[in-house]
Amino acid sequence: MSESRVLPEPHRYSVCSAADLAIKKFYKNVFEDIFIFFHPFIKPLTIDFALLNPDTYPGKREIVDHCEKITWQEFMGISRLSNLAEVDIGLRSIILGLNKKYENRSLAKRIMEVCEKRKIVFPSEGLFPDLVMDDLLRAIKKEGYDWIWCGDEFCTERKLEHMDDVIQDDGTILHLERRNLFTHDQKILVTTHWDSHFSMICGDSQTLNRIVESADLEGFFCDEETEIYWSIKNGAP
């Protein structure tokens, strides 16, 4: 009988936090601070709204060139949702990402109705947001990084890529399996959770503040208690 094979624990500088404990606890002694940034809603401007479905979904360059981002705050205004937690819970309920105890079908229905009426696309879960990544990578490049590692969910496969190539990429580098980006010196990590409509950037506080401002990221810094499912655990920040 063959012996079962168990993967070693992943390097925490290269993977997303576990969902069952506080994020800052997961990254303790690895990263000083963590900023959660929301995946924006997408408003097509010069391409047909109908193209933004799984069968005909455009590449990143077409999204960047022909769509604009709608922030969660802006969407709250047009949908009459009360806070960021309601946006998160509504989005998670759309994809059946919460158990019955926490899901809210009325919030999900409201989001879908507003999106259909306004011709807005709600953000995808578990994928880096096209309308954010170019600005984010440029902000990281300003910190002196020309190269970045791109890894799969558990970073068992990773490849070193030039930042300019990742910025100009149209879906061959940051494809569906690429969920972790980290600098060669292990000081900055950009990661996304497979079942969430937001990503995280981890690093030291001063660096993150510069990057968040430069890339105009919408979100919030984690406190000691923030978890992946912050919207149902702690409510809106």
Side-chain angles (χ1 to χ4, degrees), residues 138-156:
R138 290 189 186 102
I140 295 174
K141 189 176 178 182
K142 280 185 191 177
E143 297 296 319
Y145 297 100
D146 290 324
W147 297 85
I148 196 159
W149 285 96
C150 303
D152 61 4
E153 183 175 2
F154 301 106
C155 234
T156 55

Side-chain angles (χ1 to χ4, degrees), residues 60-100:
K60 187 183 81 169
R61 295 265 58 86
E62 196 170 358
I63 293 290
V64 170
D65 292 342
H66 299 285
C67 301
E68 69 176 0
K69 63 182 180 182
I70 304 294
T71 67
W72 286 27
Q73 286 286 350
E74 291 170 329
F75 190 82
M76 281 166 52
I78 62 177
S79 64
R80 300 190 306 281
L81 295 179
S82 300
N83 52 51
L84 298 173
E86 287 194 350
V87 180
D88 190 62
I89 291 170
L91 289 172
R92 290 185 184 279
S93 298
I94 290 173
I95 64 167
L96 305 179
L98 297 173
N99 64 38
K100 296 292 184 182

Side-chain angles (χ1 to χ4, degrees), residues 114-172:
V114 170
C115 285
E116 182 64 30
K117 180 179 179 180
R118 300 290 186 113
K119 304 302 180 188
I120 295 171
V121 180
F122 58 80
S124 297
E125 74 282 1
L127 301 173
F128 290 125
D130 292 332
L131 291 175
V132 171
M133 293 309 294
D134 288 359
D135 289 338
L136 175 54
L137 291 169
R138 290 189 186 102
I140 295 174
K141 189 176 178 182
K142 280 185 191 177
E143 297 296 319
Y145 297 100
D146 290 324
W147 297 85
I148 196 159
W149 285 96
C150 303
D152 61 4
E153 183 175 2
F154 301 106
C155 234
T156 55
E157 293 184 1
R158 60 187 75 175
K159 184 179 179 183
L160 188 63
E161 301 279 4
H162 195 274
M163 292 287 278
D164 290 341
D165 293 339
V166 183
I167 292 169
Q168 296 162 12
D169 175 56
D170 196 31
T172 58

